[in-house]
Amino acid sequence: MFRTIRWTSAAIILVACGWYLTAAETTPEAQITKAQQELKNGNFKDAYDLFREVLLNDECPADQLQTYLNQSTQCLQRLNRQSETDELRREMLAVHENKWQAYQAAAQSIYHDYHYGMIVAGKFHRGGGGSGVWVSSIERDRVEALRWTAEARKTMWKLAISPTSDKKAALARLEQLLIQWERLDSDAWKLQILTDLSELPDFDDQAYGYGRYGSGFGQRSAGGAPVDAEGNPVYHTLPESYDASISDGQRWRWLMEEIVELTPDAKWGMQMQWANFLWTQFGVQTMGGYIAPRSEPSDDPDKNESNPYAVGSLNDDETIAKLATGIKRFSLPDEFNFIKQYREVIEAGKNSHDTAAYEQLASIYTNRRQFPKAATVWRELIARHELQPEDYRSKQLDQIVKNWGRFEPVGVFVAGESVELPFRFRNADQVEFTARRLDVEQLLTDVKDYIKKIAQGNQHLDWQKLNIHDIGQRIIHQNEAKYIKEQVAAWNVALKPLPEHKDDLLMVTPPLENGGAYLVEGSVKGGNKTRIIVWLADLAIVKKPVDGRDMIYVADAATGQAIPQANVEFFGYRNEHVEKQTYRTRFSQFAKFTDQNGLIFSDKRLIDANMNWLTIARKGDRFAFHGYLYFSRHGQASEQPQETKLYVVTDRPVYRPGDSVKLKFWVRTPSYDPDAKEPFLKESLTLEVHNPKGEKLLEKQVTTDQYGGYADELTLDENATLGVYQVVVYKPHTFSGSGSFRVEEYKKPEYEVTVDAPSDPVKLGELVTAKIVAKYYFGAPVTNAKVHYKV
């Protein structure tokens, strides 16, 4: 009896302990810890069930709703159950309807969700799934998110949130969500619309591809800043209240003002954001890519105000920008003058945003070609923050005010002809040039010797040591000065710099005649040094595939005439990975002479098509090289001038189960050869039709007519699978192609809608009349139909 009592007591203790552990595991904190571990382990279903239980608990901490919702939707997406995210958001809002954080979390969640899906049996399935009609939900999601942000704002102001920083952070999040949807740098025209939050718009009929952001999300608009009926820029003024806003732009302005009212320290951050927006809309950089009409000549085009590009003549209260109606010069009111807005941030004294304002202001003046003003801004910034000469902003000032020059990129010149090098400079009045010969043949010899050396071991080739194209990179940055030989020329040029630190361009003519490569260096008096590699070609090597092999042609670089009996050296290599850190390098080399036509044809006994080939041509003291090249695999044609095409049409684009599908196809092989024979006229082919499951519904041998065509008819079963059907036509080992048609149960009526709009361009503000006509495919009018249209 004594032993029994003790055992029973122990059992009670164990049961109690077990109950305690179970209770601990069911606390929200323990559930989240376990859910996160399950997520980390890839057990997405178990993780989702735990996250969902905590998320839909009314005691879930409000500041964690965003995190738990994100983790829940992440699990659903990994489980391919993204169609359940909408219901999850609705359930969360129903449980936490009095928490502004819930609305904010829902808006942020839908912003990052998929913006496309399928309509199946009248229900939207986000992300797709099943057989239905693809649609885009991006506009509907945008309105849904704005509704939730507005509700979050209302809920937040009803509550006594403490501290104030929480409310400021909440408003900032709402403000960011509002503008994130607008993509202010490209779709700012949307801000002039007051989004109707009382009703969700319909889904768009097409998903425009299945990218995460669906319909055109993030695409840049090239239309310019929006204008009103008079052609003036649209400004977003500050409304009397949030509810009094007449556009989304005014809603945005009010939210920024509320943030500043709550936390005055946020003033300059909000003003920087506002100034940046104004600059993206009205800065001179918006003219990029615009081709200006010719204007009257002027000694200084920057001072010619009739020139659309006369940015140098702008005052601080003016701008020239690309608007929706074209390029326009206009004045900016102080409230919308980005230069004044940046100036106010700077004048407020040293703060966390003044440096960015300085840099942006200097960039604006530089874009306006007002370099003295840009230099003044840089000097103020350097003095205020005591920046050192090595700081990049000090270097930006030096770029403007110090003597400077550089060579512009050039191509290859022909030996014996005049050489002109474009040299851009500013501020300087003198430059000294030198030219030195480069030993290119020695470089090529060193490259070949390096490959041969590596071939003796099991090392991986260093591409920098194989680089024969950018000799300047090797000489200047890899310190391979051994290839620089004797000086062949030196000369000085007097410069006449333009005022106000502007650039000028001078064409430099070096006294170079003989073929080869030269290092030309320019030393600007009181400034920098600049270098360029100048190539003077006297021979040229051309490679072209011909009839399954390759032709090498050596010609005079100036006249293109063939060079007979030119010695052409071929050097090929291949570096192969064997295992781990082991490599194997193979090389091959041989030489041949060109024939009387300057030609050499590749020989399959000598050319390994798997190797990289360097070719070097010599004729007396004339020299040229070409590489690295790949040669074609012999026995195979290098070009395919003919390609067989299949064209499939059906009598309708969409069918219902039980319908009869009439189809026809044509198989043709276009050719530029007038004597070429069509291989698929009156030819036996195989025709197959596959349903969306990949099941074969039809297979038969058919014979094309004299035009390569064939017509057939297929009756669909009453229980036919919905979706896309594939029509496959092929001839074994010769040709195959496919077409498609759709089968749907729930689809729009079989009619087409046309819009008769004015054919001539219309002006802004002009009344436009358009006529919408709907007819069935067989011609009868569609009457008493509901019309939904967008302008």
Side-chain angles (χ1 to χ4, degrees), residues 323-389:
L323 306 178
T325 51
I327 300 295
K328 183 175 182 178
R329 181 174 182 144
F330 55 96
S331 297
L332 286 167
D334 289 349
E335 183 182 358
F336 308 100
N337 185 337
F338 47 88
I339 292 180
K340 182 174 178 59
Q341 298 296 319
Y342 289 127
R343 286 286 186 192
E344 287 183 358
V345 175
I346 292 172
E347 292 167 1
K350 194 172 180 180
N351 58 71
S352 59
H353 299 283
D354 73 318
T355 298
Y358 269 124
E359 293 179 353
Q360 187 67 7
L361 201 55
S363 175
I364 289 170
Y365 286 132
T366 300
N367 285 340
R368 292 180 171 217
R369 293 175 53 79
Q370 298 175 348
F371 303 112
K373 288 185 176 181
T376 299
V377 173
W378 286 122
R379 288 191 183 100
E380 291 177 3
L381 171 59
I382 292 168
R384 174 177 289 188
H385 292 276
E386 300 178 351
L387 302 177
Q388 300 304 310

Side-chain angles (χ1 to χ4, degrees), residues 590-658:
F590 63 93
K592 298 184 73 173
F593 286 97
T594 59
D595 61 17
Q596 67 274 16
N597 297 315
L599 298 175
I600 295 175
F601 290 92
S602 59
D603 188 337
K604 64 180 180 180
R605 295 170 300 176
L606 299 174
I607 295 288
D608 185 344
N610 294 316
M611 286 186 172
N612 299 288
W613 288 90
L614 168 65
T615 57
I616 304 173
R618 296 180 179 89
K619 180 72 173 186
D621 58 353
R622 305 169 74 181
F623 167 85
F625 74 93
H626 198 348
Y628 297 100
L629 302 174
Y630 280 105
F631 284 83
S632 60
R633 298 180 182 276
H634 303 290
Q636 299 178 3
S638 57
E639 297 181 2
Q640 297 291 337
Q642 299 179 343
E643 184 177 359
T644 301
K645 297 287 186 179
L646 171 71
Y647 185 64
V648 180
V649 295
T650 56
D651 61 327
R652 285 156 48 193
V654 183
Y655 300 88
R656 285 194 179 100

Side-chain angles (χ1 to χ4, degrees), residues 199-229:
E199 183 179 358
L200 291 177
D202 292 337
F203 296 100
D204 290 334
D205 289 341
Q206 297 184 22
Y208 302 99
Y210 306 140
R212 164 160 288 221
Y213 294 109
S215 164
F217 192 89
Q219 295 179 354
R220 297 186 62 84
S221 170
V227 296
D228 58 20

Side-chain angles (χ1 to χ4, degrees), residues 549-567:
R549 57 179 180 165
D550 294 284
M551 178 187 75
I552 299 294
Y553 178 58
V554 180
D556 183 279
T559 64
Q561 292 182 348
I563 304 296
Q565 294 303 305
N567 180 275

Side-chain angles (χ1 to χ4, degrees), residues 528-549:
N528 66 309
K529 290 185 178 182
T530 180
R531 302 176 180 87
I532 189 173
I533 304 296
V534 179
W535 291 86
L536 273 65
D538 46 18
L539 288 183
I541 301 175
V542 178
K543 171 183 170 292
K544 180 177 177 62
V546 177
D547 293 333
R549 57 179 180 165

Side-chain angles (χ1 to χ4, degrees), residues 14 42 68 149 174 284 302 325 369 449 502 577 584 673:
L14 289 173
Y68 300 158
T149 56
L174 302 184
V284 299
D302 286 339
T325 51
R369 293 175 53 79
D449 290 343
K502 294 180 180 178
H577 180 256
R584 178 178 59 209
D673 184 357

